[in-house]
Amino acid sequence: MTILVRPRALEDFKVREFQLLIDGRWVDGSSGASIERKSPGHGVVVSRYQAATKADAERAIAAARRAFDTGTWCRMTGAERSNILLKAAELIAARSDELAYLDCIESGKPISQAKAELGGAVDIWRYAAALGRDLHGESYNTLGEGTLGVVLREAIGVVSIITPWNFPFLIVSQKLPFALAAGCTAVVKPSELTSGSTLVLGEILMEAGVPAGVVNIVTGTGAEVGAPMTVHPDVDMVSFTGSTLVGKLTMANAAQTLKKVSLELGGKNPQIVFPDAELDDFIDAAVFGAYFNAGECCNAGSRLIIHRDIADDVVARIAAHSAKVKVGDPLDPQTKVGAIITPEHLAKIDGYVRNAATGGANISHGGEPLELGMGQFMSPTILSAVQPDMAVAREEVFGPVLSVLTFETLDEAVRIANSIDYGLSAGVWSRDFDTCLTIGRQVRAGTIWMNTFMDGASELPFGGYKQSGIGRELGRHAVEDYTETKTLNMHLGRRKVVWAS
Ligand code: NAD
């Protein structure tokens, strides 16, 4: 059984209307068309964004290029930029209820979680502001009496930032403040399903004192607006978070002009659990890892790799714990699993479950969409007896679906963990230090959690191995990623003529 929180109708709701932010001004898109967003939990239109065109994207890129080339932002001191970013952080904190509400009703995520994400985002803006003041290069005073080498870090230029729908405000906050701290200008395209909070961020940045043209925000589809942002010659770098499929397309597009790319893509993250683990802690983390954000999470712990000796017991306990998870109205503070982003995506999740069951997996919990009178919801689902070659064991389901596999030896666990194309994150559970560290060193993933799962900190780099991406966000790497390296090779005194005399 699943505990259901039936959604209440949004009464007296006023649809929010948004424009584009180009060169410091709020403008309509050139097509006059708009995109309507329905709340996934309530089935009614809540936001209306401009359906921008390629021409709008190009105007935004031109504004970002001008702002970069005239130096209004990149020639400020690090301290000046940092102060503006700190002001932005305070304004985000002040408007965090409004931003969390928008993320909640546009994406279907629970309101309590959306508020926590806003808290995390404020911390990232503050952290990026601090890093911006400390961005520096290197010097070489060891190259001989006549030579001094200085390695500068310079802002890379105009950055296209393209984000997905699953963490609308958090993901733009993992990119934009670092790009700004480095001195870059940006064109930002949020997902066409969840653009609201990114557009409010535009208001905040203007109020904080970010000069016109430094941040431009265009809304619309990937094909119409995103693609031009990845090919345009005036763009120096593309920072993309989304599916591996579109990530590959983005890299191919960017290759036409050899832009730098930073890609945060999909994951199919294993949690490996040994018999000596603290099982009560693990059971809760397994449920959290699989169902957090309705499983619509690149970091979802969607593959459990359990030691055969404890598998039956652990699956039964996870099923019992899953039954306590409250599913339903994203606006209810009790809800832990909200709505699924679109009806089409719900059908895709359901298809994965049906195919797995047909292929021999057991449904140990849930297994079906839930009918709550409005919106679209999926029951937390456990699939056991999953084989490593099944689609649910290898592909990103992006729903609250946990696939359980088993192992006997540590080597086998590592082999199963590493047997797929993704390498974003992984968890290992054991009280034995050697076991944790061996798994930590042998599993090919950008983050390994030991006796915990999906904890994060602004200081810790995040990103993927293999087809989970290229580059790292957060941590020091984040700001450095948005820079070019320039060598100043300086000669002291007269240069001896030695080459042709
Ligand atoms: P998506 O790839 O469909 O879309 C992501 C963004 O790219 C959207 O803004 C979309 O409009 C845009 N886009 C689509 N086609 C484009 C094109 N041809 N050119 C340029 N832009 C284009 O992904 P999604 O469905 O919005 O998000 C879910 C995916 O994001 C999942 O695969 C998930 O794992 C991944 N994700 C990864 C991370 C991470 O940090 N690794 C974080 C969150 C989400």
Side-chain angles (χ1 to χ4, degrees), residues 375-408:
Q376 60 271 344
F377 299 87
M378 179 74 194
S379 56
T381 295
I382 303 172
L383 297 171
S384 52
V386 169
Q387 298 308 315
D389 58 350
M390 288 181 174
V392 278
R394 313 185 69 78
E395 295 171 18
E396 204 181 28
V397 175
F398 233 52
V401 178
L402 186 58
S403 294
V404 180
L405 301 99
T406 56
F407 73 93
E408 261 169 27

Side-chain angles (χ1 to χ4, degrees), residues 212-496:
V214 171
V215 175
N216 305 274
I217 305 171
V218 281
T219 50
T221 63
E224 185 71 29
V225 182
M229 289 168 59
T230 63
V231 290
H232 199 287
D234 282 345
V235 171
D236 300 291
M237 174 173 170
V238 181
S239 177
F240 173 87
T241 296
S243 59
T244 292
L245 187 73
V246 180
K248 288 178 183 175
L249 200 63
T250 296
M251 192 165 174
N253 280 345
Q256 294 172 33
T257 49
L258 280 186
K259 298 181 202 319
K260 185 171 183 179
V261 289
S262 165
L263 304 172
E264 294 295 335
L265 309 175
K268 185 78 190 178
N269 313 295
Q271 291 219 60
I272 302 172
V273 57
F274 288 83
D276 68 340
E278 193 61 70
L279 286 178
D280 285 346
D281 293 5
F282 165 72
I283 303 283
D284 190 62
V287 168
F288 163 66
Y291 309 143
F292 172 73
N293 212 47
E296 295 168 331
C297 180
C298 54
N299 258 332
S302 52
R303 282 193 296 159
L304 287 190
I305 306 179
I306 308 183
H307 194 281
R308 209 154 284 161
D309 290 353
I310 55 167
D312 289 346
D313 175 50
V314 165
V315 171
R317 289 174 66 183
I318 294 174
H321 207 58
S322 299
K324 298 181 202 156
V325 175
K326 298 187 176 76
V327 184
D329 191 351
L331 283 170
D332 191 305
Q334 300 299 315
T335 296
K336 291 286 192 215
V337 174
I340 300 298
I341 190 79
T342 57
E344 297 74 25
H345 189 57
L346 178 63
K348 189 174 155 196
I349 297 168
D350 191 34
Y352 268 111
V353 175
R354 302 273 77 77
N355 284 343
T358 312
N362 298 328
I363 297 178
S364 301
H365 184 76
E368 286 181 336
L370 296 168
E371 185 46 66
L372 298 187
M374 60 184 83
Q376 60 271 344
F377 299 87
M378 179 74 194
S379 56
T381 295
I382 303 172
L383 297 171
S384 52
V386 169
Q387 298 308 315
D389 58 350
M390 288 181 174
V392 278
R394 313 185 69 78
E395 295 171 18
E396 204 181 28
V397 175
F398 233 52
V401 178
L402 186 58
S403 294
V404 180
L405 301 99
T406 56
F407 73 93
E408 261 169 27
T409 64
L410 183 147
D411 286 348
E412 190 189 359
V414 170
R415 216 169 27 250
I416 295 172
N418 285 339
S419 67
I420 60 163
D421 293 334
Y422 293 115
L424 189 58
S425 59
V428 54
W429 293 80
S430 165
R431 288 197 202 97
D432 185 76
F433 178 77
D434 288 1
T435 303
C436 285
L437 215 46
T438 305
I439 294 281
R441 295 172 79 175
Q442 292 189 3
V443 170
R444 301 195 63 223
T447 298
I448 313 281
W449 285 287
M450 298 183 185
N451 295 318
T452 186
F453 200 71
M454 241 193 294
D455 289 343
S458 303
E459 290 83 350
L460 297 178
F462 170 68
Y465 278 42
K466 301 196 275 184
Q467 295 190 30
S468 287
I470 294 178
R472 292 292 178 270
E473 298 194 325
L474 304 176
R476 296 201 62 80
H477 300 263
V479 74
E480 289 172 1
D481 227 28
Y482 292 101
T483 63
E484 271 286 11
T485 303
K486 180 181 278 176
T487 298
L488 301 183
N489 189 326
M490 297 176 265
H491 187 74
L492 308 178
R494 292 286 307 276
R495 182 174 183 269
K496 223 191 279 170

Side-chain angles (χ1 to χ4, degrees), residues 85-301:
L85 296 180
L86 286 173
K87 175 95 188 287
E90 295 323 306
L91 293 170
I92 293 167
R95 289 179 75 173
S96 61
D97 281 352
E98 174 194 359
L99 289 161
Y101 183 79
L102 270 172
D103 273 4
C104 169
I105 55 170
E106 291 182 1
S107 77
K109 69 173 67 239
I111 188 71
S112 58
Q113 183 195 315
K115 286 182 178 174
E117 285 169 27
L118 258 296
V122 169
D123 188 64
I124 297 174
W125 280 82
R126 290 187 182 134
Y127 175 67
L131 279 186
R133 286 190 77 150
D134 194 38
L135 183 61
H136 57 81
E138 300 150 21
S139 62
Y140 285 85
N141 198 23
T142 51
L143 307 177
E145 217 179 330
T147 304
L148 179 64
V150 173
V151 183
L152 300 181
R153 287 230 173 240
E154 287 187 343
I156 196 165
V158 174
V159 184
S160 285
I161 292 179
I162 301 175
T163 58
W165 45 260
N166 55 347
F167 294 94
F169 199 84
L170 192 60
I171 289 178
V172 73
S173 299
Q174 289 180 194
K175 299 176 182 295
L176 186 56
F178 297 97
L180 292 175
C184 296
T185 61
V187 178
V188 182
K189 191 201 93 63
S191 165
E192 58 272 39
L193 300 176
T194 55
S195 303
S197 61
T198 301
L199 291 158
V200 173
L201 176 62
E203 292 173 15
I204 288 173
L205 294 176
M206 294 298 101
E207 191 183 340
V210 172
V214 171
V215 175
N216 305 274
I217 305 171
V218 281
T219 50
T221 63
E224 185 71 29
V225 182
M229 289 168 59
T230 63
V231 290
H232 199 287
D234 282 345
V235 171
D236 300 291
M237 174 173 170
V238 181
S239 177
F240 173 87
T241 296
S243 59
T244 292
L245 187 73
V246 180
K248 288 178 183 175
L249 200 63
T250 296
M251 192 165 174
N253 280 345
Q256 294 172 33
T257 49
L258 280 186
K259 298 181 202 319
K260 185 171 183 179
V261 289
S262 165
L263 304 172
E264 294 295 335
L265 309 175
K268 185 78 190 178
N269 313 295
Q271 291 219 60
I272 302 172
V273 57
F274 288 83
D276 68 340
E278 193 61 70
L279 286 178
D280 285 346
D281 293 5
F282 165 72
I283 303 283
D284 190 62
V287 168
F288 163 66
Y291 309 143
F292 172 73
N293 212 47
E296 295 168 331
C297 180
C298 54
N299 258 332

